[in-house]
Amino acid sequence: MQKTDLKGISYNIYLIGFMGCGKSTVSRCFCKEYGMEQLEMDQQIEKEEGCTIPEIFARKGENHFRSLETGLLKRLCLKDNLIVSCGGGTAMRECNVQEMKKNGIIVLLKASPETVYARVKDTHSRPLLEGNMNVEYIRTLMEARRPKYEEAADISVDTDGRGVSEICREIMNKIESRDYNE
């Protein structure tokens, strides 16, 4: 992929989708290939809170964590030229979707439950899968989230069996064809 500098664009790209669908990997590619500033929401929240996501869930609960996501999105919508890797549950809240749409394009990355399982099975940083690390549970949770993801998305891209550069190129082609650069 030839590097294209997108510095100066007046919007952000928000990557949403289930955990393990490739948001972090794709955001790193965008940072490298398109000169956008990368922001990992989960990492930013951990940095600001001084503890891990599982610790936030354990100490203060999921609702508190979701409120932290919303607060971060409110700050991010004041910036531009960011490629933002959202947490898997970020798009479940309508207020979060509204914040992202204020100055961004929402890209849904999709992967099969089997692919997600293969990518996350050896991690312990995903509180919602702890104790439920199996394809059937992942499938059930993905299906429950699917309508919200699809409703929020401006663009959808499948990631199964594809290279990250190919995925990034498809996203950029879809953005350019929808005239977001006006």
Side-chain angles (χ1 to χ4, degrees):
M1 180 188 298
Q2 182 178 6
K3 182 170 180 160
T4 303
D5 191 352
L6 296 179
K7 288 183 179 161
I9 63 169
S10 60
Y11 57 84
N12 295 328
I13 299 172
Y14 295 94
L15 301 176
I16 66 168
F18 200 77
M19 53 194 105
C21 70
K23 299 180 301 283
S24 296
T25 302
V26 170
S27 69
R28 283 191 297 273
C29 178
F30 261 86
C31 179
K32 178 182 172 190
E33 299 296 333
Y34 295 107
M36 297 182 80
E37 182 182 342
Q38 177 191 17
L39 190 132
E40 292 274 343
M41 285 187 63
D42 286 352
Q43 285 181 0
Q44 185 65 30
I45 290 170
E46 287 180 340
K47 178 181 172 187
E48 291 175 7
E49 293 297 301
C51 58
T52 67
I53 302 302
E55 289 170 336
I56 295 169
F57 268 66
R59 292 178 188 165
K60 297 186 178 178
E62 183 178 359
N63 283 337
H64 177 75
F65 174 73
R66 299 299 173 202
S67 294
L68 294 173
E69 286 180 319
T70 301
L72 178 55
L73 284 170
K74 287 180 178 182
R75 295 191 313 270
L76 294 179
C77 80
L78 302 173
K79 300 181 178 195
D80 54 30
N81 198 40
L82 295 174
I83 179 75
V84 180
S85 175
C86 299
T90 303
M92 297 300 98
R93 279 185 152 181
E94 181 58 34
C95 62
N96 290 349
V97 174
Q98 291 172 4
E99 290 299 326
M100 290 185 278
K101 287 193 180 277
K102 283 182 180 177
N103 79 325
I105 300 164
I106 301 175
V107 178
L108 170 60
L109 298 181
K110 299 188 291 186
S112 71
E114 293 79 12
T115 297
V116 168
Y117 175 75
R119 292 175 180 169
V120 304
K121 67 181 177 180
D122 296 322
T123 67
H124 295 283
S125 60
R126 301 167 194 278
L128 294 179
L129 293 182
E130 217 38 53
N132 294 300
M133 192 65 76
N134 61 73
V135 173
E136 274 314 306
Y137 183 80
I138 291 169
R139 182 183 322 282
T140 300
L141 190 53
M142 286 177 82
E143 188 55 32
R145 289 181 172 192
R146 185 183 53 76
K148 293 271 190 188
Y149 286 151
E150 290 177 353
E151 184 180 314
D154 297 307
I155 295 168
S156 293
V157 176
D158 289 313
T159 64
D160 281 349
R162 301 177 68 200
V164 67
S165 292
E166 178 186 0
I167 294 164
C168 289
R169 196 168 34 255
E170 180 179 343
I171 292 168
M172 285 310 299
N173 288 341
K174 287 183 174 186
I175 289 172
E176 289 168 354
S177 72
R178 292 181 70 152
D179 296 321
Y180 285 107
N181 295 315
E182 295 180 353

